[in-house]
């Protein structure tokens, strides 16, 4: 694993994945024109109808598979170097993928949308008893007002084919949960026949309101490939911030801020999946090094 001190050097990460780029957002590293914003590929009215009924949507074939394959290769290289898959967010291309989806995000969140500092990347390996995150809701508070205004939204993008065999996403549709006597608070509250598996292939994007009950499956040892995917969270910036720090989708963080954001995710999400203690320790050391680079005393 790269040392915490070396982790603060963009060149070290560029050596690991030379096919990917790391630019400074202040120099215009990524913009909508460069990313190629999604202009069509989804039926807004049909999408909204399902979203408000079931709490999620799944759109196929709207993202470029060549760009997704490059990101998949980047994560696989990180994993081979014993580095967490979430480090993929150091590279511009991970942010570009979500920038392409601005029209879709604006459809639900309006033009004043903000990026929440909550994100992750998965490499669910069947050979290592891999599994996705356990049943949960991304946000415990109010995620929407009535049936026409979304406060916060999660997007999930598969970089490999996601199937029940390698741990695809599962949801409890809100149309079913609304019929329950009380809201689901734990897995045993769910009627198993109400669970819906959502297999998806590269090119697709999945989104859900943040109060949707969902989880990632456990991979079978017989699966032929890992489930590799990305996720980011967004909010309608017209509402009070749901995090201390909101980000701009159109201006991804500069390198050191990206590194700080990524390193802070491990402590936050260690209860959601098995993260080696040495990885959490490494992430804390990286944060300390970032503080030193910025001229602060981490003590």
């Amino acid at each position: 694993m790269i040392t915490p001190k070396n982790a603060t050097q963009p060149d070290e990460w560029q050596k690991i994945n030379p096919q990917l780029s790391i630019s400074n957002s202040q120099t215009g590293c990524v913009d909508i024109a460069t990313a190629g914003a999604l202009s069509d590929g989804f039926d807004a009215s049909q999408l909204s109808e399902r979203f408000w009924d079931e709490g999620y949507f799944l759109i196929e074939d709207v993202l470029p598979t060549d760009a997704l394959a490059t990101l998949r290769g980047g994560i696989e290289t990180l994993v081979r170097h014993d580095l967490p898959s979430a480090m993929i967010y150091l590279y511009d291309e991970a942010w570009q993928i979500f920038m392409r989806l601005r029209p879709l995000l604006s459809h639900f969140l309006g033009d004043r949308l903000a990026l929440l500092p909550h994100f992750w990347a998965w490499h669910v390996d069947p050979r290592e008893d891999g599994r996705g995150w356990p049943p949960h809701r991304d946000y415990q508070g109010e995620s929407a007002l009535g049936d026409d205004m979304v406060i916060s939204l999660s997007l999930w993008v598969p970089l490999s084919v996601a199937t029940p065999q390698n741990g695809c996403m599962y949801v409890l549709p809100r149309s079913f949960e609304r019929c329950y006597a009380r809201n689901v608070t734990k897995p045993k509250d769910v009627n198993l026949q109400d669970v819906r598996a959502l297999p998806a292939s590269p090119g697709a994007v999945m989104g859900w309101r943040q109060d949707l009950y969902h989880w990632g499956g456990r991979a079978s040892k017989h699966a032929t490939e890992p489930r590799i995917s990305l996720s980011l969270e967004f909010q309608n910036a017209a509402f009070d911030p749901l995090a201390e720090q909101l980000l701009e989708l159109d201006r991804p963080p500069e390198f050191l801020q990206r590194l700080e954001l990524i390193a802070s995710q491990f402590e936050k999400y260690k209860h959601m999946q098995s993260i080696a203690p040495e990885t959490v320790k490494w992430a804390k050391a990286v944060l300390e090094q970032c503080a030193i680079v910025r001229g602060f005393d981490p003590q």
Side-chain angles (χ1 to χ4, degrees):
M1 184 174 288
I2 190 171
T3 67
K5 184 175 182 179
N6 285 345
T8 62
Q9 304 301 315
D11 288 349
E12 294 295 325
W13 297 100
Q14 201 71 77
K15 291 175 186 175
I16 294 172
N17 273 311
Q19 79 282 11
L20 298 174
S21 60
I22 300 176
S23 304
N24 188 320
S25 64
Q26 300 306 313
T27 63
C29 77
V30 188
D31 57 40
I32 287 294
T34 301
L38 173 73
S39 59
D40 54 24
F42 65 95
D43 184 321
S45 60
Q46 185 179 47
L47 201 66
S48 295
E49 181 179 359
R50 180 159 200 170
F51 179 83
W52 289 112
D53 181 38
E54 299 193 318
Y56 76 92
F57 59 79
L58 173 58
I59 316 173
E60 302 283 359
D61 302 322
V62 294
L63 290 171
T65 55
D66 54 346
L68 299 172
T70 301
L71 281 169
R72 171 180 176 162
I75 288 180
E76 291 174 329
T77 299
L78 289 168
V79 171
R80 284 198 300 271
H81 282 77
D82 294 322
L83 290 161
S85 54
M87 306 312 295
I88 195 67
Y89 287 102
L90 287 175
Y91 302 99
D92 300 336
E93 287 79 0
W95 304 91
Q96 287 178 345
I97 283 297
F98 290 94
M99 288 181 67
R100 293 176 184 269
L101 298 170
R102 171 175 268 284
L104 176 64
L105 288 163
S106 296
H107 173 70
F108 287 103
L109 296 173
D111 292 332
R112 291 185 58 193
L113 63 89
L115 174 61
L116 290 162
H118 309 150
F119 51 87
W120 199 247
W122 289 264
H123 184 278
V124 178
D125 193 339
R127 299 169 301 177
E128 299 178 1
D129 193 33
R131 67 195 71 187
W133 283 5
H136 67 286
R137 303 179 198 272
D138 290 335
Y139 181 59
Q140 298 300 319
E142 199 169 34
S143 178
L145 293 180
D147 286 339
D148 58 4
M149 186 169 291
V150 185
I151 298 174
S152 58
L153 183 74
S154 297
L155 290 187
W156 184 88
V157 172
L159 304 182
S160 66
V161 177
T163 69
Q165 285 71 41
N166 67 2
C168 71
M169 296 301 298
Y170 292 81
V171 301
L172 172 63
R174 284 179 53 81
S175 54
F176 294 156
E177 188 177 9
R178 279 195 291 267
C179 298
Y180 289 19
R182 60 185 63 85
N183 286 340
V184 169
T185 59
K186 46 191 176 298
K188 71 177 184 179
D189 296 337
V190 178
N191 181 340
L192 294 182
Q193 287 183 303
D194 294 342
V195 173
R196 183 168 300 158
L198 297 175
S201 298
V205 59
M206 195 181 304
W208 53 80
R209 47 188 289 169
Q210 292 203 297
D211 55 3
L212 181 76
Y213 200 62
H214 67 284
W215 59 95
R218 178 176 177 176
S220 164
K221 66 179 181 181
H222 302 292
T224 57
E225 65 177 326
R227 190 262 276 174
I228 304 174
S229 54
L230 303 174
S231 180
L232 278 179
E233 300 180 14
F234 304 83
Q235 81 155 86
N236 183 333
F239 294 91
D240 291 339
L242 300 181
E244 289 185 8
Q245 179 185 29
L246 296 180
L247 306 172
E248 295 181 54
L249 176 63
D250 301 337
R251 293 176 62 83
E254 47 84 23
F255 169 76
L256 199 60
Q257 187 183 11
R258 293 184 198 185
L259 184 60
E260 291 168 328
L261 287 166
I262 297 166
S264 67
Q265 306 300 309
F266 295 95
E267 181 69 29
K268 185 190 327 184
Y269 292 139
K270 66 181 183 181
H271 68 291
M272 297 298 287
Q273 73 173 62
S274 177
I275 301 176
E278 56 267 26
T279 300
V280 177
K281 183 178 179 181
W282 175 80
K284 290 180 179 178
V286 168
L287 286 171
E288 291 175 358
Q289 284 296 321
C290 289
I292 292 172
V293 171
R294 291 193 184 279
F296 299 120
D297 184 351
Q299 303 300 320

